[in-house]
Amino acid sequence: MARLSEARHFYLKSMKRTLVLLLISLALFSCKTRNTFRTYEMAEQEFRSTLTAHDTLAVLALGANFMDALKYGNLDVELQDLCVLYGDTLYKVSDKSLDMLRDRFTGAPVTDYSLASMSFSTPGNNDLSYRYVMSGTVGSGPAFKLMFNPVKVGENWYLTLKDGSMSSLDKSPTAQVHPHSPAPKPVVLHSK
């Protein structure tokens, strides 16, 4: 009977040690994850601090090339370079989508355009906006708007079209990403 009591005492003592070690491990892990949590605002500040004049020129060149293609009719080359951002992965536009985009853009010829705005947020969420008209020149009158989302992967910029579900500085503050929401994942290129 004494042996059974000693065994029980040893077992309880071992369980207490294991429980204490587990609690200490969890506490250390939670402290570590708290220190590595990054907000959207932090990601924006970090990304913007890495940008140079080269980045601005690269994005402007991508946009101007696409808009010139709309204006002068060389759209196939620019459409081939267009990408789609899905989550945190950048894909080439599918053949079916290329046909739909070609029909959309060739059905409405651009006669003139001007840069409306450009802003940088994160590698996967930026604004590049153009005003364009289908007759005459762009002035202060009515015009259409085309919004791009330039995406940076590594040192390279890729052009995507901005859709209504993406955050943009053009949207109301309540429709934008909250600054304290989690930072986005890094954007990666899809590889087949």
Side-chain angles (χ1 to χ4, degrees):
M1 192 70 140
R3 284 188 181 172
L4 185 58
S5 177
E6 286 177 27
R8 177 183 265 172
H9 179 67
F10 178 76
Y11 175 74
L12 289 174
K13 196 173 184 179
S14 295
M15 288 301 291
K16 285 180 186 178
R17 284 184 191 153
T18 304
L19 184 58
V20 167
L21 286 174
L22 181 63
L23 290 173
I24 290 171
S25 298
L26 286 173
L28 289 174
F29 179 75
S30 70
C31 288
K32 183 178 180 184
T33 56
R34 277 190 211 128
N35 291 338
T36 60
F37 179 78
R38 290 181 51 230
T39 64
Y40 191 85
E41 184 177 45
M42 293 164 110
E44 272 187 321
Q45 290 171 355
E46 180 182 312
F47 177 65
R48 288 177 181 162
S49 73
T50 67
L51 297 175
T52 65
H54 175 75
D55 292 299
T56 301
L57 293 173
V59 168
L60 287 173
L62 285 172
N65 288 345
F66 195 92
M67 295 306 293
D68 281 345
L70 288 176
K71 185 174 179 177
Y72 299 113
N74 279 338
L75 195 55
D76 284 331
V77 172
E78 294 305 316
L79 284 176
Q80 291 295 326
D81 289 339
L82 203 59
C83 295
V84 175
L85 183 63
Y86 185 73
D88 61 349
T89 306
L90 196 63
Y91 297 90
K92 284 291 187 185
V93 176
S94 70
D95 291 339
K96 182 179 178 181
S97 293
L98 281 175
D99 292 339
M100 290 181 353
L101 288 170
R102 188 176 296 108
D103 290 345
R104 172 185 166 190
F105 289 125
T106 55
V110 172
T111 59
D112 194 28
Y113 70 88
S114 66
L115 178 66
S117 66
M118 180 174 70
S119 64
F120 296 104
S121 290
T122 66
N125 186 31
N126 302 288
D127 292 347
L128 180 62
S129 175
Y130 288 91
R131 293 181 75 229
Y132 69 95
V133 291
M134 292 185 276
S135 65
T137 59
V138 175
S140 60
F144 296 96
K145 184 177 184 178
L146 184 57
M147 189 85 158
F148 295 102
N149 180 38
V151 175
K152 188 173 186 184
V153 180
E155 294 301 312
N156 299 316
W157 284 96
Y158 301 88
L159 202 58
T160 71
L161 292 171
K162 181 92 66 171
D163 68 29
S165 68
M166 295 176 170
S167 180
S168 169
L169 292 180
D170 279 5
K171 292 185 174 185
S172 70
T174 57
Q176 294 178 27
V177 176
H178 192 279
H180 299 286
S181 63
K185 293 180 183 176
V187 177
V188 295
L189 291 173
H190 178 262
S191 58
K192 284 187 179 182

